[in-house]
Amino acid sequence: MINRAVLVGRLTRNAELRYTSSGQAVTSFTLAVNRQFTNAKGEREADFINCVIWRKAAENFANFTSKGSLVGIDGRIQTRSYENQQGQRVYVTEVVSEKFSLLESKAEKATRESNSNQQNSNNAPAASNSKSDDVSEPYDYDYEHKNGISNGNDPFADTSKPIDISDDDLPF
């Protein structure tokens, strides 16, 4: 049987760190994950997925993330139920995170927040032309295309021509 969930999205609010009666750290949060398509109005919709993470990872997650942080989650889907104060059965489906990754550097987050604040104050979109040199962050494959950068060595840059790859170069 397989139960695996891999998500990339932004936190909708600051993570909520709590401790159980036995002292186990638990953090719950909601991740906004954009859908791959747009609706009839051309707007991109998002799914809001409840997640939970336990123990030391929960403390680290709460300490290193905040509202709007771009994170990757690897975990499993879990369902549970409980009886609320009115005696009604409540069913909960959530992703129990086993691993997480921070997917933007502090510099990128500061730039995004600065641009967001500037947009809110000016009601005009602000362009970001800075790119962090932090090699620990994931590579944005569309960055060079969006910003008109080309090193001339990319065999995938021109999609109108076939790519010359020998069978010896393939890993399978």
Side-chain angles (χ1 to χ4, degrees):
M1 315 260 175
I2 298 173
N3 181 355
R4 200 93 226 122
V6 178
L7 305 171
V8 174
R10 294 199 180 273
L11 293 181
T12 61
R13 64 182 187 283
N14 289 340
E16 186 179 316
L17 176 65
R18 297 182 315 262
Y19 291 90
T20 65
S21 57
S22 63
Q24 291 288 333
V26 59
T27 298
S28 56
F29 55 96
T30 302
L31 206 59
V33 179
N34 283 343
R35 294 182 179 169
Q36 294 298 316
F37 52 87
T38 57
N39 63 16
K41 296 179 183 177
E43 300 165 341
R44 191 166 304 274
E45 295 178 355
D47 293 304
F48 298 89
I49 300 170
N50 294 325
C51 303
V52 64
I53 190 168
W54 290 86
R55 297 177 208 46
K56 184 65 177 170
E59 293 174 333
N60 289 336
F61 190 88
N63 289 332
F64 293 110
T65 63
S66 59
K67 179 180 177 180
S69 294
L70 182 65
V71 296
I73 299 296
D74 181 9
R76 60 187 167 80
I77 297 173
Q78 177 176 287
T79 58
R80 59 185 170 88
S81 65
Y82 64 93
E83 202 167 288
N84 67 10
Q85 293 176 344
Q86 291 78 28
Q88 299 170 325
R89 175 74 45 199
V90 177
Y91 295 92
V92 178
T93 301
E94 59 198 356
V95 173
V96 178
S97 176
E98 295 165 0
K99 296 184 231 175
F100 72 90
S101 296
L102 305 176
L103 299 179
E104 67 184 348
S105 68
K106 289 182 181 181
E108 286 177 320
K109 184 175 180 190
T111 300
R112 180 180 46 80
E113 288 174 350
S114 171
N115 289 342
S116 176
N117 291 340
Q118 194 175 31
Q119 282 179 355
N120 291 340
S121 64
N122 296 341
N123 281 340
S128 171
N129 56 3
S130 67
K131 177 72 176 161
S132 173
D133 292 329
D134 183 2
V135 295
S136 65
E137 69 186 31
Y139 182 73
D140 182 359
Y141 292 99
D142 286 336
Y143 177 78
E144 293 170 347
H145 175 71
K146 289 182 216 171
N147 293 297
I149 300 169
S150 176
N151 64 8
N153 296 330
D154 185 3
F156 304 104
D158 186 1
T159 58
S160 66
K161 298 178 187 173
I163 300 169
D164 183 25
I165 298 176
S166 73
D167 289 342
D168 295 336
D169 293 334
L170 297 175
F172 45 88

